[in-house]
Amino acid sequence: MSSLSSYSILSQLEEQSPSDHDTFKEDLPLKEIPGSYGLPFIGAIKDRWDFYYNQGRDEFFRARMTQYNSTIFRSNMPPGPFMAKDPKVIVLLDAASFPVLFDMTKVEKKDVFDGTYMPSTGFTGGYRILSFLDPSEPKHKALKGYFLSVLASKHDNFIPLLRKSLTELFKTLESQLSSKKEVNFNPISDTYAFEYVFNLFCGKSPKDTVLGSGGNTTVDTWLVPQVVPLITLGVPKLLQLVEDLLIHTFPIPPFLVKSKYNKIYQAFSTSATEILDQAKSFGIEKDEACHNLIFLTCFNTYGGLKVLFPSLFKWVGRAGPTLHSQLAHEIRTIAKQEGGVTFAAIEKMVLTKSVVYEVLRIEPPVPFQYGHAKTDLVIQSHDASFKVKKGEMIFGYQPFATKDAKVFEDPEKFVPYRFMGKAEENLKYVFWSNGRETEDPTVDNKQCAGRDLVVLMARVLLVDFFLKYDTFTCSDEVFLVGTKVTFKSLTKASNGV
């Protein structure tokens, strides 16, 4: 493979046709949904301990899928008592059933952004933020339309501002690596990812506001209490009970981070005046717009990049120098032909695009999706049909759905060329953005408003990296909800643009 360019790989894949598993099949047997919630309270606690400590996340689902011989079954989902009023869910683990969670005629998305529990609105200025609204709620249309408009207005700034932040990111990484044998990439990535998203929406560096140089750390302090019920810190066995009581049993009160959030609010309210002034035309008061902008910027975007950027280097690093050489060749050739890093140039980098989508498929930054059934309905796996009653909570575990062996060949393997040629049509089975990658965010659905921006950021990250470097080595390990990446070496580009 080392002698193949991305273009020759593309020609090999032209004959591949995507699978089609989308049609409703009348002949599938109707079955009872297997699984059990166990005894009240006790069953939810047992499932929580299996999920975090006894089995771990993936094995929790895999074991039950094997036990019930079904990709659809009943279970409790953490955090459970006393944080969640009702932990009972119907689990979906395949690509055929998962998309029901995107169908707004069948599911309601009210207050399910974090799953079976909802953090206090005290974390967000007393408002139910856009992420917690169902499209049927009037405020959803106004806020989603507002943010789609804001993103469109910032289009010309996407690439130049990101490249400016990436220049500093790589300079810092290279400098630290010159004096150390290895460097933790995550804190460097976090710093400059936040620098970028704040600058994009607020028009200045967070360092030039009350946030100062530690802006992303302040944001992390606000973020953690909202998501900590969904994670384990990997504590020793003797401390698991203590951890479970502290972060999975009772919600962390927002007053503990109120001073941090006030500082964030002050930075946004005084810096993003141009964007906030636009809210009135959508019928949104400036205060509510500001709290929503903070959530979009700091939780949705920056929070996602904390997972995605290390994940990109994890998988590209594991792939090794052959892929690095192919990416460098494609990126440098097209950047030179197009006169720089432009939208048109990036769109022509088919291998780079495929690599990003493959990372989003194999390790989606948001693994969980939830919704309540709006009516009695029938959900189909590849093999059977199941009745779901109105009001029941449906839960999809995305990393299994996007690694469905009936859709993707070698689904557990990172295949950089997976979405090239005709196989690009299989992007309809990439669900990371709370929707199919082949569909668009609108005011009537819950697909991420910044879907295209996130994909662009990931592609520009690879483009700028391989304009500067030929190859690299790194190690990776599981870290909270994502990956910790440690760089071991960087080899500067021998013929950069």
Side-chain angles (χ1 to χ4, degrees):
M1 290 292 290
S2 59
S3 63
L4 291 176
S5 72
S6 58
Y7 308 106
S8 62
I9 295 163
L10 174 60
S11 66
Q12 291 179 22
L13 295 172
E14 287 292 348
E15 299 304 316
Q16 294 187 13
S17 58
S19 305
D20 188 358
H21 301 274
D22 290 339
T23 55
F24 192 87
K25 299 176 183 177
E26 301 287 349
D27 58 342
L28 290 181
L30 184 63
K31 296 182 177 180
E32 286 289 324
I33 300 175
S36 168
Y37 300 121
L39 294 172
F41 187 82
I42 295 172
I45 296 294
K46 180 184 180 301
D47 283 348
R48 182 165 84 199
W49 271 74
D50 282 347
F51 186 87
Y52 289 124
Y53 308 118
N54 299 332
Q55 294 174 310
R57 192 169 73 180
D58 281 13
E59 186 55 32
F60 176 89
F61 297 114
R62 190 176 292 112
R64 284 156 179 77
M65 184 168 63
T66 301
Q67 178 184 352
Y68 303 128
N69 192 28
S70 176
T71 54
I72 297 178
F73 53 84
R74 296 183 184 277
S75 180
N76 297 290
M77 274 300 292
F82 294 94
M83 204 174 297
K85 183 172 65 175
D86 187 358
K88 299 170 186 164
V89 302
I90 295 166
V91 179
L92 313 180
L93 298 180
D94 61 78
S97 61
F98 193 92
V100 73
L101 290 161
F102 311 143
D103 189 338
M104 296 300 98
T105 66
K106 294 180 179 178
V107 300
E108 182 185 72
K109 291 284 194 170
K110 184 178 180 180
D111 298 337
V112 298
F113 179 70
D114 286 303
T116 58
Y117 81 106
M118 178 181 169
S120 167
T121 56
F123 287 106
T124 52
Y127 293 98
R128 287 176 60 238
I129 297 300
L130 174 62
S131 294
F132 294 93
L133 301 179
D134 185 76
S136 64
E137 299 179 74
K139 187 70 75 172
H140 181 278
K141 185 172 185 177
L143 285 167
K144 186 82 174 278
Y146 168 54
F147 283 131
L148 289 171
S149 174
V150 165
L151 286 163
S153 72
K154 297 293 182 180
H155 184 268
D156 291 342
N157 296 328
F158 287 167
I159 295 176
L161 286 179
L162 180 56
R163 297 193 74 203
K164 180 181 176 183
S165 290
L166 290 176
T167 296
E168 295 303 312
L169 187 159
F170 296 140
K171 188 185 297 181
T172 302
L173 178 64
E174 191 174 323
S175 172
Q176 290 191 16
L177 202 54
S178 67
S179 59
K180 303 176 185 177
K181 290 184 178 179
E182 54 185 43
V183 173
N184 183 356
F185 173 73
N186 293 53
I188 302 172
S189 175
D190 289 353
T191 297
Y192 291 105
F194 182 68
E195 172 86 21
Y196 170 63
V197 295
F198 188 91
N199 201 347
L200 179 66
F201 293 115
C202 296
K204 62 175 67 173
S205 168
K207 292 193 290 285
D208 298 327
T209 72
V210 294
L211 290 173
S213 58
N216 66 294
T217 304
T218 301
V219 169
D220 288 345
T221 304
W222 166 74
L223 273 173
V224 167
Q226 300 175 72
V227 299
V228 76
L230 301 177
I231 65 175
T232 175
L233 304 175
V235 297
K237 198 165 186 177
L238 289 173
L239 294 178
Q240 288 174 351
L241 178 59
V242 176
E243 180 194 78
D244 197 51
L245 288 171
L246 287 176
I247 68 174
H248 300 145
T249 307
F250 301 101
I252 296 174
F255 77 81
L256 293 177
V257 296
K258 185 174 177 59
S259 63
K260 300 291 186 182
Y261 187 67
N262 286 344
K263 187 179 285 190
I264 297 168
Y265 182 86
Q266 184 181 347
F268 275 83
S269 63
T270 57
S271 303
T273 52
E274 181 183 341
I275 285 177
L276 296 176
D277 287 343
Q278 299 172 29
K280 192 172 182 180
S281 63
F282 290 85
I284 305 164
E285 293 299 322
K286 186 177 286 189
D287 183 62
E288 184 172 8
C290 189
H291 288 292
N292 272 274
L293 180 63
I294 290 170
F295 201 86
L296 172 78
T297 306
C298 299
F299 197 115
N300 298 135
T301 309
Y302 166 68
L305 295 180
K306 284 173 70 70
V307 178
L308 178 58
F309 279 4
S311 181
L312 272 170
F313 281 112
K314 163 188 171 178
W315 292 104
V316 173
R318 286 185 180 185
T322 296
L323 176 62
H324 303 173
S325 175
Q326 292 165 354
L327 283 168
H329 173 74
E330 174 183 82
I331 288 165
R332 294 172 195 175
T333 300
I334 293 175
K336 188 173 183 180
Q337 290 172 349
E338 295 292 317
V341 180
T342 63
F343 285 104
I346 292 169
E347 194 58 33
K348 290 181 179 180
M349 298 173 185
V350 291
L351 174 60
T352 306
K353 178 163 65 172
S354 179
V355 165
V356 168
Y357 283 136
E358 176 67 346
V359 171
L360 290 167
R361 178 197 72 85
I362 202 167
E363 191 175 348
V366 181
F368 308 139
Q369 296 291 348
Y370 288 85
H372 284 107
K374 281 186 173 179
T375 62
D376 291 349
L377 55 90
V378 175
I379 296 178
Q380 292 190 327
S381 66
H382 296 297
D383 309 310
S385 298
F386 303 90
K387 282 187 178 180
V388 175
K389 293 180 181 178
K390 179 180 178 180
E392 290 192 288
M393 180 170 267
I394 305 166
F395 161 77
Y397 184 53
Q398 191 174 158
F400 276 32
T402 55
K403 288 185 281 189
D404 187 332
K406 293 191 176 182
V407 172
F408 294 109
E409 186 177 352
D410 292 326
E412 299 288 340
K413 183 180 179 183
F414 177 73
V415 181
Y417 328 106
R418 191 181 294 278
F419 296 107
M420 294 172 66
K422 290 183 180 179
E424 188 174 353
E425 293 179 39
N426 269 336
L427 285 174
K428 63 186 173 182
Y429 299 113
V430 176
F431 306 135
W432 74 271
S433 64
N434 200 12
R436 294 184 186 273
E437 199 61 28
T438 51
E439 297 172 355
D440 295 318
T442 72
V443 296
D444 297 316
N445 65 27
K446 291 300 292 181
Q447 190 164 22
C448 173
R451 189 273 309 270
D452 293 339
L453 173 60
V454 172
V455 174
L456 176 69
M457 286 189 283
R459 288 157 76 176
V460 173
L461 176 66
L462 291 182
V463 168
D464 264 28
F465 183 85
F466 283 106
L467 285 175
K468 291 177 171 66
Y469 307 103
D470 282 339
T471 188
F472 69 101
T473 59
C474 68
S475 63
D476 61 80
E477 59 186 278
V478 175
F479 178 66
L480 301 180
V481 294
T483 301
K484 175 185 174 183
V485 167
T486 301
F487 269 76
K488 303 294 183 77
S489 70
L490 277 173
T491 303
K492 287 188 176 182
S494 52
N495 59 336
V497 175

